[in-house]
């Protein structure tokens, strides 16, 4: 707010929300200011999120957390970042030096690029120039985020492969499998948003959530909620789960499982290269949180009902604050999950992605397509449309409940399992956990008993 007198933070009195046609007309210095602004926003959010996570987890574990450097320990993350940058950089002897160096750069660049299409607010005035509070927008902006997240996994896979070590390689392979599983579920969760908003542009998706749609139900008229997380609740839930798996966060942090792989794909990394991987992980958390706020939580808009009390709540630079608050609330969920849930077993993790998230998403998309078709039908009454939609939903629920499940085989007693082992199998230790006495031990015991005892008088 200090720069308001020179026009940098002055609110724009113009009305109207940004659309695709409003991008690509800014002068080069406005574009440069926006690029620097996005970069600073992500770096500051990363430093704050690290402190935020440590303080929240400390609160859950009833301990203080960082509280020494700066007010409330806010400068602890900056101190840790500087310490990492100046540590000794160790290069493994068997590493592919070129790929080992470029892998963290790929992850970091893709993480920064994905945030370029996020809308922070409506039109504002920057040094007297009217411009949208968004770096850029394209007709397929949401797909750009998927492309950048897919490319970012290459950095993890290549980093694990180029390290020349077993544990990083396993972590990289897990990352590739995790990408295939949860990227599909995340992409399918966007389909419902595209069908409802009629566009893939992030700015126009935010505009589609501006006003609620009037609904007439049995003579009662009311306004349906405008934010998609209520209208498209299954897609919101699936996206939230997939986003945790996509960012390698607990309980889905299998590519860097400390108890199994030491540190996973970044075991051999140190100094600035490790810091870049660390930075990319937290930027990806901010990116998926910002995308969730854009697609499902109204983007930079405050709730529509608040405009009755504050008409200018969604104008000027205030929407940047609402967007940041939504991102911080979603980041709290990431931290909450890490401090609460244990890590999943790998087969459970893959089964959940392929056999639960993707089938449920496909059924939800078909159901939504049927509902949209009924809404466009003019030959049916409102009651008939609701009845048909209810029948479809009821049939789907019955199929889900009555679908035959695979019966688990009964667990046999240990003695019966041992008896069924084929002949020539490896020997087993005793089932009663009693180790037989060694024959040599018996000889030693017998020799000690034959040696005559020396009396005290002879000594």
């Amino acid at each position: 707010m200090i720069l308001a007198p020179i026009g940098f933070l002055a609110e724009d009195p113009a009305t109207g929300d940004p659309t695709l046609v409003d991008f690509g007309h800014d002068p080069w210095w406005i574009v440069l200011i926006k690029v620097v602004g996005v970069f600073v926003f992500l770096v500051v959010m990363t430093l704050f999120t690290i402190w935020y996570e440590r303080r929240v987890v400390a609160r859950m574990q009833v301990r203080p957390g960082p509280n020494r450097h700066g007010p409330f320990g806010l400068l602890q993350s900056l101190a840790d970042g500087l310490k990492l940058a100046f540590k000794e950089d160790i290069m493994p002897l068997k590493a592919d030096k070129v790929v080992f160096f470029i892998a963290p750069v790929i992850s970091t660049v893709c993480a920064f690029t994905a945030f370029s299409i996020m809308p922070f607010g409506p039109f504002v005035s920057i040094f007297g120039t009217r411009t949208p509070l968004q770096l850029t927008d394209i007709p397929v902006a949401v797909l750009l985020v998927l492309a950048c997240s897919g490319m970012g996994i290459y950095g993890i896979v290549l980093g694990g492969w180029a390290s020349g070590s077993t544990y990083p390689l396993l972590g990289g392979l897990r990352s590739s499998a995790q990408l295939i599983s949860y990227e599909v579920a995340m992409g399918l969760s966007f389909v419902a948003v595209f069908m409802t908003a009629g566009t893939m542009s992030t700015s126009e998706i935010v505009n589609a959530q501006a006003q609620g749609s009037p609904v007439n139900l049995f003579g009662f008229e009311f306004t349906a909620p405008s934010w998609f997380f209520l209208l498209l609740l299954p897609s919101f839930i699936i996206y939230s789960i997939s986003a945790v798996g996509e960012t390698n966060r607990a309980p889905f942090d299998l590519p860097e499982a400390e108890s199994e792989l030491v540190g996973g794909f970044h075991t051999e990394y140190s100094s600035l290269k490790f810091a870049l991987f660390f930075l990319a992980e937290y930027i990806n958390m901010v990116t998926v949180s910002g995308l969730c706020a854009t697609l499902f939580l109204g983007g930079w808009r405050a709730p529509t009902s608040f405009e009755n009390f504050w008409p200018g709540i969604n104008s000027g630079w205030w929407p940047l604050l609402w967007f940041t608050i939504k991102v911080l609330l979603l980041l709290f969920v990431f931290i909450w999950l890490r401090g609460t849930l244990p890590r999943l077993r790998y087969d459970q993790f893959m089964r959940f992605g392929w056999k639960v998230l993707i089938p449920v998403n496909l059924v939800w998309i078909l159901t939504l397509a049927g509902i949209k078709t009924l809404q466009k039908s003019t030959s049916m009454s409102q009651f008939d449309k609701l009845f048909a939609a209810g029948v479809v939903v009821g049939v789907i629920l019955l199929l889900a409940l009555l679908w035959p499940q695979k019966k688990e085989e009964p667990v046999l007693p240990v003695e019966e399992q041992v008896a069924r082992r084929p002949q020539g199998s490896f020997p087993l230790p005793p089932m009663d956990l009693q180790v037989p006495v060694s024959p040599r031990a018996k000889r030693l015991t017998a020799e000690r008993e034959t040696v005559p005892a020396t009396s005290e008088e002879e000594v």
Side-chain angles (χ1 to χ4, degrees):
M1 290 300 180
I2 300 176
L3 298 175
I6 62 175
F8 183 71
L9 293 177
E11 294 186 3
D12 189 3
T15 58
D17 298 324
T19 58
L20 276 174
V21 297
D22 297 314
F23 293 92
H25 310 296
D26 294 331
W28 66 268
W29 56 273
I30 290 289
V31 176
L32 183 60
I33 289 175
K34 289 183 179 181
V35 169
V36 174
V38 171
F39 178 81
V40 171
F41 178 83
L42 288 175
V43 172
V44 172
M45 284 295 293
T46 298
L47 295 176
F48 179 80
T49 304
I50 296 172
W51 172 86
Y52 186 37
E53 180 173 13
R54 296 174 69 178
R55 291 284 291 193
V56 171
V57 173
R59 178 78 175 182
M60 292 178 177
Q61 298 174 350
V62 197
R63 56 185 178 85
N67 58 359
R68 287 289 182 268
H69 302 290
F72 307 104
L74 281 169
L75 298 180
Q76 182 66 54
S77 302
L78 181 61
D80 291 341
L82 293 175
K83 177 188 70 174
L84 271 178
F86 289 102
K87 274 182 170 290
E88 181 183 2
D89 189 10
I90 300 174
M91 177 77 72
L93 290 177
K94 296 183 179 180
D96 188 324
K97 293 181 174 52
V98 176
V99 181
F100 187 82
F101 171 79
I102 203 171
V105 178
I106 293 174
S107 294
T108 308
V109 170
C110 291
F112 276 104
T113 305
F115 215 81
S116 60
I117 49 88
M118 294 294 171
F120 292 92
F123 285 104
V124 294
S125 177
I126 301 180
F127 294 112
T129 302
R130 184 172 181 268
T131 180
L133 196 56
Q134 182 177 349
L135 178 56
T136 187
D137 195 9
I138 56 177
V140 290
V142 180
L143 299 185
L144 175 66
V145 180
L146 288 177
C148 290
S149 63
M151 290 294 295
I153 298 295
Y154 277 98
I156 296 176
V157 175
L158 292 176
W161 173 80
S163 297
S165 180
T166 304
Y167 290 131
L169 178 61
L170 292 176
L173 292 176
R174 283 188 177 185
S175 294
S176 59
Q178 188 162 324
L179 163 70
I180 296 171
S181 303
Y182 284 78
E183 190 87 10
V184 175
M186 178 183 286
L188 289 175
S189 65
F190 295 157
V191 175
V193 177
F194 300 156
M195 293 169 59
T196 306
T199 179
M200 298 184 188
S201 165
T202 51
S203 61
E204 295 185 353
I205 288 175
V206 173
N207 296 339
Q209 302 177 70
Q211 301 294 335
S213 56
V215 177
N216 187 350
L217 183 61
F218 303 113
F220 296 97
E221 294 185 359
F222 62 93
T223 302
S226 56
W227 289 5
F228 288 159
F229 90 96
L230 289 174
L231 298 176
L232 309 173
L233 185 60
S235 294
F236 174 71
I237 295 174
I238 293 171
Y239 174 82
S240 302
I241 298 173
S242 302
V244 179
E246 190 70 17
T247 52
N248 298 337
R249 293 283 301 181
F252 299 153
D253 57 339
L254 296 168
E256 46 186 299
E258 296 88 352
S259 58
E260 308 163 27
L261 303 178
V262 184
F265 61 90
H266 54 59
T267 299
E268 303 294 344
Y269 279 88
S270 60
S271 187
L272 190 59
K273 297 186 185 69
F274 174 77
L276 290 179
F277 273 128
F278 202 63
L279 179 66
E281 176 182 339
Y282 278 87
I283 291 177
N284 285 329
M285 289 172 56
V286 178
T287 300
V288 297
S289 299
L291 188 63
C292 182
T294 301
L295 298 182
F296 298 101
L297 301 179
W300 44 264
R301 294 181 178 277
T304 308
S305 57
F306 289 3
E307 292 183 351
N308 299 328
F309 307 98
W310 183 3
I313 193 172
N314 287 325
S315 61
W317 290 80
W318 287 109
L320 178 60
L321 177 61
W322 316 142
F323 179 80
T324 305
I325 290 174
K326 292 176 184 178
V327 171
L328 290 177
L329 290 175
L330 292 170
L331 289 173
F332 173 78
V333 177
F334 276 96
I335 300 167
W336 188 9
L337 293 176
R338 178 173 183 176
T340 307
L341 299 179
R343 182 181 295 124
L344 267 71
R345 208 171 63 204
Y346 192 70
D347 61 328
Q348 296 173 342
F349 171 73
M350 298 301 291
R351 187 188 308 117
F352 183 68
W354 285 105
K355 294 188 176 182
V356 177
L357 292 184
I358 295 177
V360 169
N361 218 333
L362 291 173
V363 172
W364 163 241
I365 292 171
L366 292 175
T367 305
L368 183 63
I371 294 174
K372 293 290 182 183
T373 304
L374 288 175
Q375 288 177 347
K376 293 180 180 180
S377 176
T378 57
S379 60
M380 299 178 64
S381 64
Q382 187 74 14
F383 177 80
D384 293 337
K385 293 178 182 179
L386 292 175
F387 180 76
V391 169
V392 172
V393 173
V395 169
I396 292 174
L397 291 177
L398 286 176
L399 287 175
L401 293 174
L402 302 177
W403 193 266
Q405 300 289 332
K406 181 181 179 182
K407 295 183 179 180
E408 297 184 0
E409 297 181 0
V411 180
L412 301 176
V414 177
E415 294 77 8
E416 190 171 347
Q417 294 181 26
V418 174
R420 292 190 176 188
R421 298 177 75 230
Q423 189 175 3
S425 301
F426 288 102
L428 290 176
M431 293 295 102
D432 54 2
L433 300 181
Q434 293 183 1
V435 181
V437 181
S438 171
R440 184 172 180 274
K442 291 183 179 180
R443 291 197 302 270
L444 293 175
T445 304
E447 290 174 0
R448 292 193 189 99
E449 292 176 352
T450 56
V451 175
T454 304
S455 63
E456 296 180 359
E457 298 179 355
E458 294 178 356
V459 175

